[in-house]
Amino acid sequence: MREMLKFTALAVVHGVRHIPCRFQSGRPPAPLGARILTNPDDIFQHNMWDHVQWSPEQIQKARQIAEENSRERIPAEEQVRYDREAKRYWNEFYKMHQNKFFKDRQWLFSEFPELLPQGCEVGCPPRRQVGEGIVCPESRVHEQTSGGDQQEGSLIDKHDAIREEQWNSTDGSAVKPHTVTAFPGQHASFRILEVGCGVGNSVFPIINTIRSSDAFLYCFDFSSRAIQLVKEHPDYDPAVCHAFVQDVCDDASVFPFPPGSLDVILMVFVLSSVCPERMQEVLNRLATYLKNGGTILFRDYGRYDLSQLRFKKGQCMSENFYMRQDGTCVYFFTKDEVSRLFTNAGLEEIQNLEDRRLQVNRRKKVVMHRVWTQSKYQKPL
């Protein structure tokens, strides 16, 4: 286990030699960063290296570790209990960590420029410089309002009533006028939804970017504590954002906007927390809320990421699906699985990448392999 988690510099050098020539010569364009390790002697010069390929031996070793740590499964009756109490585990997580566990995702607009309404550039975070790479903090290894604001707030106050209405359209086409009379953000020309927003690490970079545009952001989370923290944040602005509590797996619940009304859906490290048997249903339903031509932006854990290999026996619920010690769960995807899930939801593939990196502890001279998936899928026009 230690051999896989703590590669020596010599082992990493061996892996570097397996990097395809297009990564060794010149700098590949974004996405996924452009800090390429071309000289093995430089490995401890930075904390992260992009576009790293594994040797066949490393892949085999990782597979063996995953098979070993998943051999002993959590009993079925315990899995039922954990599933039933999942909301409590997430509320306890945010009660303990508040908004200090993850950092704001300032890389969002470099990797997902689709989040920006056309012509919106004011307030955009600076784009990542060449060689800077994405920092993934999700890597768990351890006053008065204006009249316009008041109008938007009155719509939000009606949220519970709106959610009780049933949207009649299920094909993603425009909703008939009599179906929905009012909903938060109805006057916006560009609408974004973040699924599983947590405490707002994507929400606030987006809010601060779209504030002067004609865009509106919806965000929801399973945890009422997380949504409370979002609404208490000084940058939260109901004129441009509506945060609410919802279980993405509850197909009986109704969203506060009609089908066919969203331009972008953002899913960052959230689908992995859903039971694998429910993932397809979740994506099928979310796809109905996209406009034709709308896009889902996706980033999550990849197969054989360091965090998967660190699980101990007895923490596995099903193949590649684990429960952490705090009761929260995580799944580790392959590119093929991602492609199958999204295309089965009727979406067309725009991007489907595997993001392999070397995360470096320069003080301890330890190198760790991280794996994430990053994808973009579009609803046909």
Side-chain angles (χ1 to χ4, degrees), residues 8-49:
T8 64
L10 181 61
V12 174
V13 169
H14 177 74
V16 168
R17 290 171 183 159
H18 287 81
I19 297 175
C21 292
R22 67 189 183 95
F23 289 148
Q24 291 185 358
S25 60
R27 295 183 182 275
L32 305 182
R35 177 177 287 152
I36 310 303
L37 181 62
T38 57
N39 183 355
D41 293 337
D42 295 336
I43 192 167
F44 295 111
Q45 297 300 310
H46 298 285
N47 295 328
M48 191 82 74
W49 296 97

Side-chain angles (χ1 to χ4, degrees), residues 80-357:
V80 171
R81 177 169 60 85
Y82 283 120
D83 184 65
R84 185 174 59 246
E85 299 180 2
K87 184 177 294 187
R88 176 173 69 84
Y89 291 122
W90 280 109
N91 277 329
E92 289 177 353
F93 174 86
Y94 289 115
K95 182 179 180 180
M96 176 182 294
H97 298 288
Q98 299 292 307
N99 59 357
K100 298 177 176 63
F101 194 85
F102 303 125
K103 296 180 181 179
D104 283 353
R105 298 162 179 153
Q106 301 296 353
W107 52 266
L108 275 175
F109 304 102
S110 294
E111 297 299 327
F112 296 141
E114 295 84 355
L115 287 166
L116 291 170
Q118 188 172 8
C120 176
E121 296 201 3
V122 178
C124 293
R127 291 185 179 270
R128 192 172 64 251
Q129 299 300 311
V130 170
E132 189 171 340
I134 293 179
V135 176
C136 282
E138 292 81 4
S139 311
R140 296 179 60 178
V141 183
H142 49 87
E143 302 179 25
Q144 288 185 346
T145 61
S146 65
D149 292 349
Q150 291 172 348
Q151 181 183 16
E152 191 67 59
S154 67
L155 294 176
I156 293 172
D157 290 340
K158 298 176 183 177
H159 180 206
D160 291 338
I162 294 171
R163 283 165 60 85
E164 292 176 1
E165 296 187 36
Q166 296 298 316
W167 312 119
N168 296 325
S169 172
T170 59
D171 60 358
S173 59
V175 177
K176 298 176 183 179
H178 68 268
T179 304
V180 179
T181 57
F183 63 94
Q186 64 175 339
H187 300 299
S189 62
F190 189 85
R191 302 186 189 95
I192 305 166
L193 168 68
E194 185 184 10
V195 179
C197 64
V199 295
N201 299 106
S202 295
V203 169
F204 297 111
I206 294 173
I207 285 179
N208 292 328
T209 299
I210 68 172
R211 200 185 298 274
S212 60
S213 73
D214 190 27
F216 194 87
L217 171 66
Y218 307 93
C219 61
F220 72 89
D221 199 273
F222 193 34
S223 167
S224 58
R225 178 57 180 158
I227 294 301
Q228 179 184 349
L229 290 167
V230 168
K231 291 184 173 182
E232 290 173 352
H233 193 285
D235 287 346
Y236 182 72
D237 184 353
V240 294
C241 180
H242 178 48
F244 56 100
V245 178
Q246 184 144 319
D247 180 359
V248 71
C249 295
D250 182 3
D251 56 8
S253 62
V254 180
F255 286 105
F257 42 78
S261 62
L262 300 176
D263 294 271
V264 176
I265 296 176
L266 179 65
M267 303 181 71
V268 179
F269 296 99
V270 60
L271 192 61
S272 56
S273 65
V274 173
C275 179
E277 289 75 19
R278 298 175 184 166
M279 289 179 182
Q280 191 65 65
E281 295 177 10
V282 166
L283 291 176
N284 291 349
R285 186 177 184 222
L286 288 173
T288 67
Y289 288 91
L290 282 173
K291 296 177 182 177
N292 294 334
T295 305
I296 295 184
L297 307 175
F298 173 81
R299 185 170 174 84
D300 222 314
Y301 294 98
R303 186 69 48 84
Y304 306 142
D305 177 57
L306 170 69
S307 57
Q308 179 178 11
L309 304 183
R310 281 187 167 173
F311 278 105
K312 296 178 173 59
K313 292 181 181 179
Q315 291 184 268
C316 185
M317 301 182 75
S318 61
E319 191 170 359
N320 301 300
F321 188 51
Y322 299 80
M323 186 189 67
R324 302 184 181 99
Q325 291 183 347
D326 60 9
T328 62
C329 299
V330 60
Y331 185 84
F332 297 88
F333 295 93
T334 65
K335 283 176 57 177
D336 289 344
E337 288 173 340
V338 171
S339 178
R340 182 171 62 253
L341 284 165
F342 283 91
T343 55
N344 285 347
L347 305 177
E348 297 175 348
E349 184 177 299
I350 304 299
Q351 178 191 88
N352 188 18
L353 304 173
E354 188 173 58
D355 184 8
R356 293 183 179 269
R357 296 170 185 265

